[in-house]
Amino acid sequence: MSKGKVLVMGSNATRIEIQGGGTGPTGQYLNETVVPMLALVGAGYEVLLATPSGAKPYIDPASDAVQHFGGDEAAYQRGKDFFANDPSTNTGRTLRSVIEEGLDKYAGVFAPGGQGPVVDLMQDPDAGEILRHFHAAGKPTALLCHGPIVSISAMPRASEFRAALIQGDRVKAAELAKGWQYAGYRMTVYSASEEKPIEENILHGKLYFNMPETLDLAGAKTTVGPDFEPHVVVDRELITGQNPRSDHPMAAKLIEALDRASLAP
């Protein structure tokens, strides 16, 4: 018997804006998606992956490698097979359809990273509605790597906030962030120094904004640990992991929170 159901919010983005015009390739990270999903299933929870368009997330090729699974070839192949073939990852569900069906049936919500969510989920109104629901209910909310930037979507004018960042108007962005549901929350996110190798070797350009500064500008209390080392922060219902290597420890904290909530009177 299932302990409950967890909604996984995926990204449909394949390109991200870089300074000076143009875009670079992006997507969602494989291990950040499947490691927590498999951990949840192993702990007795059901999972369902949904995206803004209903199309399956595009996996960033940079993440499709055994190194992101601790060098464990069997774990890598299991993860690839799960993403390719498991019914939970092939539903074709949109975030809107999940909302219309009812969010109360979900015990928690999770958004993996890769830079894809910085493009779409960060400003997606349906993602924002989902996060506001889980925030109001105090239900476990887990965001990994670039995933914590999805919390911005809870702002009523998230797309304007993001546009202000790209325009370099921090004053306007701070004004738009007033009343953000996660202001004052402690969290972590992919650091600017971790971003640098991607900017230099994959994007060949700089992003318009970095993740910790953006969350701090919005009102979060962001901390980052050493580059590419596991780091997880828990504050109230929110569980954030800093980078790809935080996949297992973030999943463990999410399962702890879900189990605790299921035992609450």
Side-chain angles (χ1 to χ4, degrees):
M1 182 177 172
S2 170
K3 290 182 180 179
K5 199 167 190 176
V6 176
L7 173 63
V8 182
M9 296 196 294
S11 167
N12 293 127
T14 61
R15 308 288 299 181
I16 190 167
E17 309 97 325
I18 53 176
Q19 291 182 27
T23 61
T26 194
Q28 185 167 302
Y29 258 46
L30 178 64
N31 69 297
E32 295 177 23
T33 304
V34 300
V35 167
M37 289 182 77
L38 283 165
L40 286 162
V41 171
Y45 291 91
E46 295 177 71
V47 289
L48 181 137
L49 175 63
T51 65
S53 73
K56 204 166 181 178
Y58 172 72
I59 293 298
D60 189 329
S63 73
D64 191 357
V66 70
Q67 71 190 59
H68 290 295
F69 292 80
D72 185 333
E73 183 67 32
Y76 171 48
Q77 293 301 330
R78 182 177 177 227
K80 288 187 68 165
D81 179 70
F82 179 85
F83 185 78
N85 301 312
D86 195 83
S88 69
T89 65
N90 290 282
T91 63
R93 295 291 299 275
T94 63
L95 298 178
R96 175 46 48 184
S97 75
V98 172
I99 293 168
E100 290 174 351
E101 189 180 72
L103 295 172
D104 287 335
K105 66 173 64 178
Y106 293 92
V109 64
F110 162 56
Q115 291 170 329
V118 183
V119 180
D120 56 1
L121 292 182
M122 177 183 180
Q123 57 181 334
D124 186 86
D126 293 332
E129 184 173 343
I130 289 165
L131 287 184
R132 287 193 296 272
H133 172 89
F134 283 91
H135 170 75
K139 288 185 175 180
T141 300
L143 310 171
L144 179 59
C145 195
H146 288 83
I149 209 72
V150 180
S151 62
I152 296 295
S153 69
M155 295 179 189
R157 298 167 70 185
S159 61
E160 294 177 59
F161 174 88
R162 188 178 186 277
L165 293 175
I166 290 175
Q167 292 158 8
D169 193 341
R170 291 173 59 86
V171 173
K172 182 179 180 181
E175 185 66 28
L176 289 164
K178 287 182 178 177
W180 182 45
Q181 287 78 359
Y182 298 101
Y185 272 66
R186 293 180 298 105
M187 58 179 80
T188 191
V189 69
Y190 204 62
S191 71
S193 52
E194 288 172 318
E195 202 85 72
K196 194 172 181 182
I198 298 175
E199 291 177 323
E200 292 177 347
N201 301 315
I202 296 175
L203 299 178
H204 305 294
K206 286 185 65 65
L207 297 178
Y208 278 97
F209 52 89
N210 74 57
M211 306 308 122
E213 285 184 3
T214 296
L215 292 173
D216 284 343
L217 180 65
K221 297 177 179 177
T222 310
T223 60
V224 295
D227 285 359
F228 305 111
E229 292 297 327
H231 180 58
V232 177
V233 174
V234 180
D235 189 353
R236 288 159 277 187
E237 83 279 8
L238 186 65
I239 303 156
T240 51
Q242 179 175 325
N243 48 35
R245 289 194 62 202
S246 303
D247 52 0
H248 286 283
M250 189 227 67
K253 290 295 185 185
L254 174 56
I255 291 164
E256 284 177 23
L258 290 164
D259 286 349
R260 197 162 52 243
S262 70
L263 296 173

